[in-house]
Amino acid sequence: MNHRPISLLPDVLISQIAAGEVVDRPASVVKELLENALDAGASEITIRIDGGGIQRICIQDNGKGIPKDELELAVMRHATSKIQSLNELECVMSLGFRGEALASIASVSQFTLSSYPAGQESAYSISNQSGSWLVEPSPSSPGTTVDVQSLYFSTPARRKFLKTEQTEFFHCLDVVKRMALANPSVTWLVYRDGKLQSRFQESSWSARVFSILEPMANGASKPIEVQAADMQLHGAVGLPDAARGKGDMQFFYVNGRFVKDKLINHAVRSAYEDVLHGDKFPAFVLFLNLPANEVDVNVHPAKTEVRFRNARAVHQWVRQSIQACLAPSRAVVPLSESPASAQVVESPASGNSNVWRSSSGSTSAVQVQPKSAALPFLREELADYIQAYRPLEPPPRPTQIIAQPKAVYAEPAQHPAEDTDYLGQAIAQVHGIYILALRPDGMVVVDMHAAHERVLYEQFKNALDNQQTISSQELLVPLLVQIDPRLASEVDNGQHLWEKLGFRLSLISTQEIAVRAVPTMLAGQDLSALLQQWLEDLHQYGVAHVLERQRNEWLAGLACHTAVRANRKLTVPEMNALLRSMERTERSDQCNHGRPTWRHFSLSEMDKWFLRGQ
Ligand code: ADP
Ligand code: MG
C-alpha cells in the first residue's frame, strides 16, 4: 500500500468527529443547548422543534447572554467560560465544561446564535456562512437564542441513523422533561412544528413532578430526604404498587445532572428487590448531591455517566436510604407512639415520619445542611411536597353513625374496636383465601397467605439480625470450586460474609477455592455457580449488598413454606392477630414477591358501586 503521511485534521472535521459523540441525534442537541441556557441562569426557556429537530431546533433563553466580542470564542472548540484549570474541572458544578457543544453543533448544521447580554447597547448574532463566521447586529430580546437548522446536512451518514420525526421529537421532549423535573423554578415552553405542545410554568417541585409524571401523584409516591455526612439524597420514590411495566419513570440526578448510571440503577433496583413484583419497574425522581470532587463527571462526552470516588459507599447508602423509605407499611401504626403522639397520624406531615430515618445504623440521618447556592435543586421546593404528602387517609375518628358498623354477619369483636387498628376488625374468612375486616369508614380485604408470608419473613430477618448466624454444616470432603483469578482477592475480603451466611471457604490457588462448610439449607446443592456470582457481586457492590440479598432470598423461601396455606380455617382471633401483626410489620403492604397484601374499600367507593346518593 502507498504510504500516506500523517497530517493534522482540519478543524471542522475534528468538530464533526466530536459531533458523532456529543450530538448524535436532535435530542442531544437540545440537551446541550438547554444545559447552556441553565448555566446562563435562565428563568424562562422556549424550545421550538420542527420536523423532529432535523429541520430546526431553536432555543431561546433569558439568561445572562454572551458579549459581542466573545461570540466567536463561544463557537470555537475547547473554548469555555466554565472552567480554567484542572482544579476547577475537579469541582465543576456547571452542567457544561467541555467547551465543545456549540462547535460540534455548528459543524453539522446551519447555525445562528444571537445574544443580547445586559449592559450591551444591542444584540448581535454569529452564523456560519460557507465555511467562515459572520458577526452582525441582529434584532433580539435580552438573553440568547440558538437557531439550528438542517441538522446533519453536511454529514448524511449520520442522518441515516435517525428514526422518524415523531420518534426524534419525543426524544427531544424527554430531554426537556428531565431538565424541567430538576428545575421547577424555570418556566419551559415547547413548540412542535409551530404549535404549543407543552408548557411547564414555574412551580413548586411537587407540582412539577405531578404534572410531568402523573402516575406518581395521588399517594402513589413517597417523598424522601436523607443526609449522611456530605451526601444528600432527596426526591420521590414510587410505591411498589405503582410500579410500571417499563422503565419510563426513572430519573436520577447527580449534583443536578441527569445520569444513566449502572451502579446507581443497581442500587435503586435492589432497594426495591424485597417489595417489587416480577419484572416491574419502579418510578422515581431522585437527586443525589455530594461534593463535586467525590464524583467524576468527565467520563463520557455526553456527560450522562459519572464515576464515584467511593462507589460502594454510594451504592450502599442509596440502596439503604430508599429501602428505609419504602419499609413502613401504610398500615403500620408506629408502636413507639404514645396515645398523645398518636395524634401525629392526623397531621399533614405524618406520612413523613420515616423520611429522616434509615434502616441500619450505618447511615446517620442528620439535620439538613444549610441551603447551598451551588446545588441546582432547591430543598425548599421539596419541603412543600413533604408538607403535603399523606400516605393514606387514616380511618376517621368514629362518629355516631359509622362508629358501630352494622355488619350483619359479624361475630362479636373479640376486643373493642380501636381506631388505631388500621386494618379494622376481622369478621369473616372468604373462600379460604381472604380475610374480610371492617373499618369505621369501609372495609379491608386481606390476602391471608401473602400477608402471613410477609409477616414471617420480616420476623425471620429480625431474628437473624439479632442472632447473627445461619446454621451451617461441615463437609466431610471439601468441595473444590474454580473461580476467575480476577476475583481471588474477594475470597479473603469476604470472610465476614461467608461466616455470616454459614460458609467456610479458603483460597487454594488464584483460581480455586475449597468449601469446607455450607449453610444447612443449601447442603447437597451445586454451589459453584452461586459462589462465582457472589464473588462477582462482592467485587462490584460490596459485602453488605450480597449478604443481605442472599440471606433475604433464603428467608423468603422459608417464609413462603411456613405461611398459612389456602383453605386453612382461621378463627376470628387468629385473623385479628394477623391483622395486628401486619400493622407492626415493615413492608407489610406487599408479600415477598411484591404483590399487594391488602386493599381498602371505602364506604364512599361502595356507595358509588350502587349509585347511592346520585
Ligand atoms: P460549555 O458549555 O462546555 O462551556 P459550549 O460549547 O456549550 O461549551 O458553550 C461555549 C460557551 O458559550 C459557554 O462556556 C458559555 O460561556 C457560552 N454560552 C453558550 N450558550 C450560552 C447561553 N445560552 N447563554 C450564555 N452563554 C452561553
Ligand atoms: Mg455547553
Side-chain angles (χ1 to χ4, degrees):
M1 240 173 80
N2 280 345
H3 176 70
R4 250 180 122 173
I6 300 173
S7 63
L8 283 175
L9 296 176
D11 232 40
V12 175
L13 184 54
I14 298 179
S15 289
Q16 286 171 334
I17 291 172
E21 291 175 308
V22 184
V23 286
D24 61 329
R25 68 190 318 168
S28 2
V29 174
V30 172
K31 169 182 173 286
E32 292 294 336
L33 297 179
L34 293 182
E35 286 187 350
N36 283 347
L38 289 170
D39 281 345
S43 63
E44 182 166 323
I45 304 177
T46 304
I47 300 117
R48 290 171 205 279
I49 294 164
D50 297 343
I54 305 158
Q55 248 173 51
R56 183 178 185 218
I57 295 168
C58 179
I59 293 183
Q60 181 181 9
D61 68 57
N62 63 353
K64 68 179 161 60
I66 308 173
K68 180 194 168 200
D69 57 1
E70 288 179 26
L71 287 175
E72 277 184 75
L73 273 174
V75 295
M76 268 174 71
R77 226 162 8 93
H78 309 315
T80 178
S81 58
K82 298 170 194 173
I83 55 167
Q84 280 189 344
S85 66
L86 186 61
N87 240 354
E88 286 184 16
L89 171 64
E90 281 167 5
C91 46
V92 67
M93 285 308 270
S94 56
L95 294 167
F97 55 84
R98 296 174 59 104
E100 60 185 350
L102 294 185
S104 302
I105 297 167
S107 75
V108 294
S109 69
Q110 281 158 8
F111 178 95
T112 308
L113 181 153
S114 333
S115 202
Y116 191 173
Q120 193 169 290
E121 76 292 352
S122 65
Y124 280 85
S125 72
I126 181 165
S127 52
N128 56 354
Q129 307 270 337
S130 45
S132 58
W133 289 105
L134 177 73
V135 177
E136 58 189 342
S138 88
S140 201
S141 42
T144 302
T145 303
V146 182
D147 197 336
V148 177
Q149 300 198 27
S150 309
L151 195 55
Y152 310 123
F153 79 103
S154 56
T155 48
R158 161 70 46 198
R159 206 163 169 154
K160 284 200 196 112
F161 283 96
L162 299 182
K163 304 277 188 288
T164 62
E165 287 187 0
Q166 163 104 347
T167 306
E168 294 300 336
F169 171 79
F170 282 104
H171 281 293
C172 295
L173 189 61
D174 280 346
V175 167
V176 179
K177 287 180 181 171
R178 279 175 203 165
M179 301 244 170
L181 282 170
N183 297 279
S185 56
V186 175
T187 293
W188 306 75
L189 294 151
V190 184
Y191 290 85
R192 178 184 186 184
D193 298 318
K195 281 200 225 85
L196 184 66
Q197 164 93 22
S198 307
R199 180 197 183 97
F200 308 119
Q201 195 66 38
E202 171 193 4
S203 65
S204 69
W205 188 68
S206 51
R208 177 62 57 85
V209 170
F210 297 154
S211 73
I212 296 183
L213 308 174
E214 237 183 275
M216 288 190 84
N218 300 323
S221 61
K222 255 180 154 178
I224 180 172
E225 179 165 13
V226 279
Q227 176 148 1
D230 48 10
M231 286 195 284
Q232 187 203 42
L233 180 73
H234 60 244
V237 290
L239 294 182
D241 277 5
R244 305 177 56 77
K246 50 183 178 170
D248 60 342
M249 293 209 177
Q250 308 196 325
F251 298 85
F252 202 98
Y253 301 78
V254 175
N255 289 349
R257 184 188 303 282
F258 176 86
V259 297
K260 287 192 163 159
D261 184 80
K262 241 181 88 191
L263 179 100
I264 290 292
N265 269 349
H266 186 276
V268 179
R269 181 82 225 172
S270 56
Y272 276 88
E273 219 157 50
D274 219 12
V275 289
L276 204 61
H277 179 48
D279 306 323
K280 291 276 179 136
F281 294 82
F284 54 85
V285 188
L286 290 167
F287 298 85
L288 174 67
N289 293 317
L290 69 176
N293 58 6
E294 288 288 320
V295 53
D296 186 356
V297 291
N298 188 26
V299 184
H300 188 269
K303 300 166 291 175
T304 44
E305 287 167 34
V306 290
R307 206 162 289 152
F308 296 101
R309 177 133 53 134
N310 197 344
R312 283 186 192 180
V314 171
H315 180 273
Q316 183 178 345
W317 187 68
V318 167
R319 181 173 60 91
Q320 288 182 347
S321 305
I322 300 173
Q323 241 172 12
C325 175
L326 294 171
S329 144
R330 280 173 297 165
V332 167
V333 179
L335 274 179
S336 53
E337 280 182 0
S338 64
S341 66
Q343 286 170 354
V344 171
V345 173
E346 297 282 330
S347 95
S350 66
N352 174 30
S353 54
N354 62 301
V355 162
W356 301 98
R357 223 191 51 203
S358 166
S359 65
S360 88
S362 66
T363 306
S364 54
V366 292
Q367 315 88 321
V368 193
Q369 229 177 12
K371 184 192 133 198
S372 144
L375 296 183
F377 180 83
L378 301 181
R379 276 200 53 260
E380 288 86 281
E381 287 152 0
L382 177 73
D384 174 72
Y385 178 25
I386 292 180
Q387 283 308 311
Y389 172 70
R390 296 184 87 154
L392 173 81
E393 287 296 310
R397 302 273 152 190
T399 64
Q400 291 145 299
I401 302 165
I402 58 174
Q404 282 101 32
K406 293 195 187 69
V408 183
Y409 307 106
E411 295 182 31
Q414 299 300 304
H415 62 91
E418 290 183 26
D419 56 348
T420 48
D421 287 348
Y422 219 86
L423 297 174
Q425 301 302 312
I427 54 164
Q429 192 178 13
V430 182
H431 291 298
I433 298 174
Y434 301 107
I435 295 169
L436 183 64
L438 290 186
R439 253 171 60 129
D441 65 342
M443 65 182 188
V444 164
V445 177
V446 175
D447 179 330
M448 117 197 152
H449 171 79
H452 193 212
E453 189 181 338
R454 169 62 74 178
V455 168
L456 287 175
Y457 175 45
E458 295 295 328
Q459 281 172 2
F460 292 160
K461 283 197 288 187
N462 284 339
L464 205 63
D465 278 342
N466 300 332
Q467 277 175 17
Q468 308 284 315
T469 47
I470 283 184
S471 78
S472 114
Q473 181 179 321
E474 297 285 323
L475 299 182
L476 289 177
V477 184
L479 178 75
L480 298 182
V481 175
Q482 302 292 316
I483 59 161
D484 186 333
R486 188 171 54 90
L487 304 173
S489 60
E490 300 299 342
V491 175
D492 285 336
N493 292 344
Q495 274 315 330
H496 164 77
L497 164 87
W498 312 128
E499 235 169 76
K500 271 208 158 183
L501 290 177
F503 279 94
R504 205 147 56 74
L505 40 93
S506 55
L507 206 56
I508 293 182
S509 71
T510 53
Q511 32 196 333
E512 200 169 38
I513 46 178
V515 183
R516 299 174 202 282
V518 297
T520 315
M521 58 183 120
L522 290 188
Q525 291 190 27
D526 177 16
L527 299 171
S528 57
L530 187 76
L531 284 169
Q532 293 259 22
Q533 184 56 51
W534 288 2
L535 288 171
E536 188 67 60
D537 283 3
L538 200 60
H539 189 61
Q540 280 199 41
Y541 308 117
V543 175
H545 171 70
V546 184
L547 178 65
E548 189 172 313
R549 197 175 68 189
Q550 296 312 323
R551 189 198 71 159
N552 287 358
E553 227 166 72
W554 301 343
L555 296 183
L558 198 61
C560 184
H561 284 295
T562 325
V564 282
R565 306 257 130 213
N567 296 324
R568 216 326 276 289
K569 177 132 180 55
L570 295 185
T571 64
V572 169
E574 278 176 325
M575 291 190 273
N576 275 320
L578 178 56
L579 299 186
R580 300 296 80 81
S581 37
M582 285 171 73
E583 287 160 0
R584 291 193 302 268
T585 301
E586 292 195 320
R587 290 172 276 273
S588 65
D589 294 340
Q590 292 85 28
C591 78
N592 305 345
H593 315 287
R595 286 190 296 270
T597 53
W598 62 280
R599 287 271 183 248
H600 171 243
F601 301 92
S602 67
L603 271 177
S604 58
E605 208 173 327
M606 289 189 265
D607 286 347
K608 276 193 206 130
W609 299 345
F610 299 102
L611 308 176
R612 281 177 69 100
Q614 289 184 19

